[in-house]
Amino acid sequence: MWLTGFDVPSLATMYVYKPMSGHNLMQAIARVNRVFGDKEGGLVVDYIGIANALKAAMREYTKRDRDLYGEMDVAKKAYPKFQEKLEVCNDLLHGFDWGYFKKGTPLEKSHCITEAVNFLLDPTREENKETYRKEALGLHQAQSLCSSMATAEEREDASFFEAVRVLINRLSSSSNPDSSEKEINDQINQLLKQSIISNGVINLFEDRTVNFSLFDPKFINEIGKVKEKNLAVELLKRLIKEQIIVFKRTNLVKSMKFSEIMQNIMNGYLNGLLTNEEVIQKLLEMAQDIKKANDEGEQLGLSAEEMAFYDALTKPRAIFDFYDNAELVNIAKELRDTLSKNKTIDWQKRESSRAHMRRIIKKLLKKYKYPPEEVDGALQTVMEQCELWADESI
């Protein structure tokens, strides 16, 4: 079954230890030739010498396939490609002197990697950064085929380029939205251990046994000390985006508010209207605003879900001209309770269920004479928050 029974697009390497020929051989090696994500091809490790059988098998297929059949000698095909990618990666770092990586101590090597990342994260080098990620990946793939042929110096250079690529990917890529909070924290912990540098490498977590908080004052203070400012911007942006993703699942109003603030800050940064120091300060202030937003529910005696309804009810500030705060808190709690008692498993599939829930919501709000005629759009926001809650809680 492993050879011919199913399609595995992510399979990268096949070790051949039994004789095969003809269509059986073609089917077997086809297990690893699927393009998949960053995977451009697969590796067949031949223990018994199937080269002649493969050539014979290829002759049985179309001319197009025969033309695509390339040079099998790794020394002639993969090794030159590996050396080419080394030169390309070096050229993309033109203007940054990374030579001390080769002779440096482990701490100096760490500095060199983060400084290279900081160099590529400069907004003026956005195109270079994306090209570098692609070319460094090609280098990594080529090295997997010819590592034993590379010199010690070439392998060391490749390790530097790969470390830079991995760190850029960790900073630039969004986390899996299905990851648990612990998994996300673990990923960020590892990133920070490599990234936060002032007088040496600072491990913020050496005396902690619990997950850190993005909004811990000590944590925020250390972020501000990062020497590589482009890297600090990228790191802060990523961490705040994680929190906005949480809001998008639970709180319509806060997710819209903080997404807009983040977009405005980054537009100013990318358009050169804000310096590195200014954008870092604005992101740190935004982190504090998010912390305050998270604390509001506790101060009002509301759960996170109830707070989301409260935010929807009070999005139009004019609402406070018609209701006192205690009444709005009660409406938020009753909305949460009413929706919990009336949610159905077919909410997302049947329009009749959605219509029924809308009627219940409107009836509850009518009891409180919400919204006042003078406040436009208030009901729509509350209905959207209710639907978000229902969609996420089923």
Side-chain angles (χ1 to χ4, degrees), residues 107 110-111 193 195-203:
L107 178 58
S110 176
H111 275 266
K193 287 176 184 178
S195 305
I196 297 185
I197 297 174
S198 55
N199 297 322
V201 177
I202 299 172
N203 182 359

Side-chain angles (χ1 to χ4, degrees), residues 362-392:
K362 289 179 180 178
K363 182 178 179 181
L364 186 157
L365 295 175
K366 187 176 181 181
K367 180 176 73 172
Y368 290 96
K369 298 181 181 180
Y370 183 98
E373 293 182 4
E374 294 86 345
V375 183
D376 296 330
L379 180 60
Q380 180 64 28
T381 301
V382 175
M383 295 297 292
E384 289 177 1
Q385 175 59 47
C386 290
E387 292 193 4
L388 175 64
W389 180 91
D391 287 339
E392 293 296 328

Side-chain angles (χ1 to χ4, degrees), residues 124-169:
T124 63
R125 299 188 180 92
E126 179 65 26
E127 186 176 340
N128 265 22
K129 182 191 77 172
E130 294 307 318
T131 303
Y132 179 89
R133 291 170 69 178
K134 179 180 178 181
E135 295 297 332
L137 174 62
L139 172 65
H140 178 66
Q141 292 170 334
Q143 185 181 13
S144 69
L145 297 174
C146 61
S147 181
S148 62
M149 300 176 186
T151 66
E153 183 178 5
E154 287 173 335
R155 288 197 297 271
E156 185 174 28
D157 290 353
S159 71
F160 169 75
F161 294 136
E162 175 64 4
V164 172
R165 180 186 76 87
V166 169
L167 188 51
I168 289 177
N169 283 344

Side-chain angles (χ1 to χ4, degrees), residues 142-379:
Q143 185 181 13
S144 69
L145 297 174
C146 61
S147 181
S148 62
M149 300 176 186
T151 66
E153 183 178 5
E154 287 173 335
R155 288 197 297 271
E156 185 174 28
D157 290 353
S159 71
F160 169 75
F161 294 136
E162 175 64 4
V164 172
R165 180 186 76 87
V166 169
L167 188 51
I168 289 177
N169 283 344
R170 289 181 184 177
L171 284 165
S172 302
S173 302
S174 298
S175 293
N176 182 351
D178 296 325
S179 297
S180 69
E181 181 181 353
K182 182 179 185 303
E183 289 171 333
I184 292 173
N185 280 339
D186 287 346
Q187 292 171 11
I188 296 172
N189 284 355
Q190 292 302 316
L191 176 62
L192 287 170
K193 287 176 184 178
Q194 300 174 56
S195 305
I196 297 185
I197 297 174
S198 55
N199 297 322
V201 177
I202 299 172
N203 182 359
L204 297 181
F205 319 104
E206 59 191 359
D207 58 349
R208 303 190 184 191
T209 57
V210 297
N211 289 336
F212 72 92
S213 168
L214 170 61
F215 311 113
D216 183 327
K218 178 182 176 183
F219 176 77
I220 292 295
N221 183 53
E222 294 295 348
I223 288 280
K225 293 179 181 178
V226 174
K227 183 175 66 173
E228 296 83 1
K229 298 303 182 185
N230 294 322
L231 191 151
V233 169
E234 207 65 31
L235 181 59
L236 274 171
K237 183 173 70 172
R238 159 125 184 214
L239 297 179
I240 291 174
K241 278 185 175 180
E242 296 291 351
Q243 185 61 44
I244 293 176
I245 288 172
V246 173
F247 282 141
K248 283 183 177 179
R249 297 195 193 112
T250 57
N251 191 312
L252 176 71
V253 174
K254 281 190 170 70
S255 69
M256 292 172 61
K257 172 186 174 182
F258 288 116
S259 293
E260 183 178 353
I261 293 173
M262 171 69 92
Q263 189 61 54
N264 289 338
I265 292 174
M266 298 317 299
N267 284 345
Y269 177 55
L270 295 174
N271 291 330
L273 302 177
L274 296 173
T275 64
N276 280 333
E277 289 74 12
E278 288 170 336
V279 78
I280 289 171
Q281 184 58 40
K282 286 185 176 295
L283 290 174
L284 291 175
E285 291 170 0
M286 185 177 175
Q288 290 303 313
D289 290 341
I290 292 175
K291 181 180 185 302
K292 291 177 183 176
N294 284 331
D295 293 341
E296 286 174 0
E298 185 176 341
Q299 295 167 3
L300 293 171
L302 296 172
S303 67
E305 290 182 336
E306 292 166 345
M307 189 64 202
F309 291 117
Y310 177 88
D311 286 335
L313 289 164
T314 60
K315 182 183 178 185
R317 304 312 294 172
I319 286 294
F320 289 102
D321 295 336
F322 300 89
Y323 303 90
D324 60 42
N325 200 55
E327 193 170 13
L328 291 166
V329 168
N330 288 334
I331 298 175
K333 289 183 176 181
E334 192 167 343
L335 270 172
R336 166 67 175 80
D337 291 342
T338 300
L339 285 171
S340 293
K341 292 173 183 176
N342 289 278
K343 73 177 181 181
T344 59
I345 59 174
D346 59 355
W347 157 261
Q348 293 172 313
K349 298 178 181 178
R350 295 183 57 183
E351 183 56 36
S352 61
S353 297
R354 301 178 79 91
H356 175 65
M357 193 166 286
R358 292 190 194 103
R359 287 194 298 271
I360 293 172
I361 295 165
K362 289 179 180 178
K363 182 178 179 181
L364 186 157
L365 295 175
K366 187 176 181 181
K367 180 176 73 172
Y368 290 96
K369 298 181 181 180
Y370 183 98
E373 293 182 4
E374 294 86 345
V375 183
D376 296 330
L379 180 60

